[in-house]
Amino acid sequence: MKRHVILAMAVVLVCVSAVVAQQPAPEKTDTAAVEKIKAEGLNNSHVMEILSFLADQYGPRLTWSPEYRRAAEWASGKLKEWGLQNIYFDGWAPLGKGWTLKNFNAIMTAPVTQPLIAYPKAWAPSFRQREAEVVFLDVKRLEDFDKYKGKLKGKYVLINDLVNVQAHFSPEANRLADSTLLKMSNADMPGGSGRGGRRGPMLPRNLTLQNWDSVWTAIKTMQPNLDSATVMRFLIDREVTSKKLRFVQEEGALCAINAGRGDGGTIFVQQSTVPQPADVPFNQRKNAYDADAPTIIPQVVMAAEHYNRLIRLIQKGVTPKVELGLEVAFTKADSGFNVIGEIQGTDLKDEVVMMGGHFDSWHAGTGATDDGTGSAAAMEAMRILQTVFKQYGIQPRRTIRIGLWGGEEQGLHGSRGYVSNHLAKTDADPLSMMMGAGSGGNLKTTPEYEKFSVYFNHDNGSGRLRGVHMQGNEAARPIFRNWLTGFNDPTAQTLTLNNTGGTDHLSFDGVGLPGFQFIQDQLEYDTRTHHSNMDVYDRVQVEDMKQAATLMAVFAYNAAQRDAKFPRKPVAAPRGPGGAATGGVAR
Ligand SMILES: [Zn+2]
């Protein structure tokens, strides 16, 4: 056989083996153990019982509040009961004041008496119950404020316009359609960050009406497609909106009332705003829970239908009266804390696999779907694993750790604090990190950073898990594909390269560690429960929860048992403060 043919075949052989050598070893999982985990999770589930304690008995769990601490004490007691180790409250900064609702009343007293559906915003101060006239602050332009000067003292003031209430022709709850899942599967490298979207044109935060002349030309050069009229309108609206609260406070109004998102008695309500100019940079803005927060005007959110009626009465020349009263208790500003616990590993025990969700919630409901479902699913996953390990004498190789984060609603404080205190400090801009702009800061890592494998997050409501957002980590695909195939649930098969944002996996992803949020069916998360007074146990779907907790347990187990740690994304060029790219990587 001709020498060059043998040579060519040898070359081909070498190339093929080189390619094969580069292929990651096929993922192997312990299918028998996975079946045992599935049996425990799907046939002997405790997840709804756990959720009922977190929501019905201990909800809501507003960060820094005594209720949060009581719920955390219960949760850590359960982890202890299940035999987890190293259970502790993991402290983090910043400091914040606790806030507890003691009493609230809202009733219309003229022209007729009728109860009002309304909620105080979190951290609103107490005010004495009293009846007073209602005024509508009908302001569209800055010059409109003058006509209300001296007219608001001792009054209840409606500060936003009539709400457009529509009939619900489309179902409130939905599951991801196959077509949507297919589109997600075909997504290229990360695009939109999904949750945490921005409202209004993409503008540098320092552009204001005041510095328009000096700044606009430069911006227009950088973003020629920006239309000055749109931008000006946006700035005026922003200025008018921020001035409204300052104005009614300065004019001595009793309380600022606005209509929340939602209708049909569902109100979406979050924290009180500290009146301050719109152009105060994000990281200098005062929060109502800050230790040194100024005294602010009480703020209340009212059901759209009740709110609109008051405006229509005023537009008819009738002066309605309402009686409101609020009693709250503040606790001294203190650091926040996460609840941490673990199942210790064996031969790879200094390496860590984590899963979790945020433990804090807003205050109008019981924090059932945000994020009681994530906390309950993660706790249940730990219970399932511990039960199966004990029953069948199985031992995890890596340590499996649960993180129940505080302060998520105030800016991922708990998970960012954990990562910063234990794994890596970054100088990346926190806002761009929370917007899902990935890693990029200069990192100062700890030895634990090298030993960290992967983090799984659950924080999109009660919906079943349909797959995983891979945050641009292509190396995750064959692993997750194998695990989902092994889990054998036809509804949980989607892998998308896309990012998703707005929650705690970003704290890990933001420092270059594998951190993932599952793809979940929306159900009625956006339409009904997310940050609303209807964020309650009855809106949670039982079978979805069982599936989610069990899949989380299987993922954590598979990650704990694999030979190698979970692959990390190639390191992005570090970006300094403000998100701009800078030089080499500091590890
Ligand atoms: Zn959440």
Side-chain angles (χ1 to χ4, degrees), residues 233-311:
R233 181 73 259 160
F234 172 78
L235 290 177
I236 291 171
D237 290 349
R238 191 176 69 172
E239 190 69 24
V240 167
T241 306
S242 108
K243 179 162 181 180
K244 281 182 176 179
L245 207 54
R246 276 180 283 146
F247 182 78
V248 294
Q249 175 160 299
E250 285 152 14
E251 291 291 315
L254 291 175
C255 175
I257 304 171
N258 70 287
R261 189 167 71 82
D263 59 28
T266 295
I267 299 180
F268 294 80
V269 50
Q270 296 182 197
Q271 70 195 54
S272 301
T273 302
V274 174
Q276 54 203 311
D279 60 355
V280 174
F282 171 80
N283 50 10
Q284 288 162 31
R285 297 192 75 78
K286 275 266 165 271
N287 296 296
Y289 51 72
D290 289 344
D292 60 355
T295 306
I296 59 173
I297 185 170
Q299 294 157 50
V300 162
V301 182
M302 190 177 285
E305 297 87 343
H306 291 176
Y307 183 91
N308 286 353
R309 180 185 181 185
L310 294 170
I311 291 185

Side-chain angles (χ1 to χ4, degrees), residues 358 370-371 408-409 459 503 525 530-531:
H358 68 87
D370 192 16
D371 184 19
E408 190 272 354
E409 298 294 1
D459 181 24
T503 184
Y525 193 53
H530 187 216
H531 301 173

Side-chain angles (χ1 to χ4, degrees), residues 1 15 53 132 149 233 240 272 277 322 324 339 346 365 414-415 516:
M1 185 173 334
C15 295
F53 276 100
K149 271 204 164 307
R233 181 73 259 160
V240 167
S272 301
V322 300
L324 302 180
V339 180
T346 48
S415 59
F516 304 101

